[in-house]
Amino acid sequence: MSENSAAPGTPPATAPGPRPEPIRFFGTTWVDHDGGYGLRRAGVAAGSLAAAVAACFVLRFAYQGLEIAEVGGFVGVLVIAMFSICSAIAFRKTWEGFGARPEDPSREDALRGLKSIGFIGSLVAYFVRSLTEAPGEKLRRAEYEKARAQFEKRRSARTGNPAARKASGRKRPKRG
């Protein structure tokens, strides 16, 4: 095998220090914006927008099914309100997830069903964020740079062989 058999943007396995966390659809190409990063961002933006549009058509057909079934105006209003509110909440939670880790993971798990109902909001948030960066890139970059800085600080503090250091003026007595 060749040396370049790893995925684009993947750091070498022998590189010391922390490793960047991969992002869905991007891997670790977000670190140096290499390996087709721009094309991936464009693809993610187009894909999420297309999926949101397709989902809207599916919901429209479902609503037309309710009209054909003549369930009444009240049920139609409830369905529209439910999907609208759930989509707004899903958008907000997805958008917040791009900027910070959830404080309470169990609360996020409890909202999973609500976010599933409002999946259009999540798709729209993914689309909007991918216009400027890989979704979650800013958060992961800050975490990665912090980890690299801590690693470099620890590494620089213990460089050299302590046994080879010069004595600081006086010699220690030998233990006997």
Side-chain angles (χ1 to χ4, degrees), residues 36 41 55 61 81 83 139 144 163-164 174:
R41 253 190 47 210
F61 294 140
F83 277 105
L139 170 66
Y144 178 62
K174 292 184 178 179

Side-chain angles (χ1 to χ4, degrees), residues 1-158:
M1 281 192 129
S2 69
E3 294 176 9
N4 297 329
S5 61
T10 305
T14 59
R19 304 233 187 282
E21 184 179 347
I23 298 175
R24 182 182 298 154
F25 305 121
F26 294 92
T28 56
T29 60
W30 59 269
V31 176
D32 296 322
H33 292 186
D34 61 353
Y37 172 81
L39 291 174
R40 289 177 191 224
R41 253 190 47 210
V44 165
S48 60
L49 183 62
V53 169
C56 288
F57 278 117
V58 169
L59 288 179
R60 180 175 178 244
F61 294 140
Y63 184 76
Q64 285 177 343
L66 290 175
E67 286 181 344
I68 291 170
E70 297 178 2
V71 293
F74 182 69
V75 173
V77 170
L78 283 178
V79 168
I80 291 173
M82 176 191 63
F83 277 105
S84 300
I85 292 169
C86 290
S87 290
I89 292 171
F91 179 91
R92 184 173 151 252
K93 287 299 187 181
T94 303
W95 192 264
E96 287 174 355
F98 295 144
R101 300 278 181 187
E103 294 175 13
D104 187 11
S106 62
R107 179 165 165 76
E108 290 298 314
D109 289 341
L111 290 174
R112 185 173 292 152
L114 189 98
K115 288 169 70 174
S116 296
I117 294 170
F119 64 99
I120 294 174
S122 292
L123 290 170
V124 171
Y126 216 79
F127 166 72
V128 172
R129 180 59 86 162
S130 63
L131 293 176
T132 58
E133 67 177 7
E137 178 182 346
K138 186 175 183 180
L139 170 66
R140 286 183 176 85
R141 186 172 301 282
E143 291 173 348
Y144 178 62
E145 288 175 357
K146 182 179 176 185
R148 291 288 303 172
Q150 289 174 346
F151 174 77
E152 291 299 324
K153 183 178 177 182
R154 283 192 314 262
R155 186 174 176 200
S156 66
R158 48 182 182 168

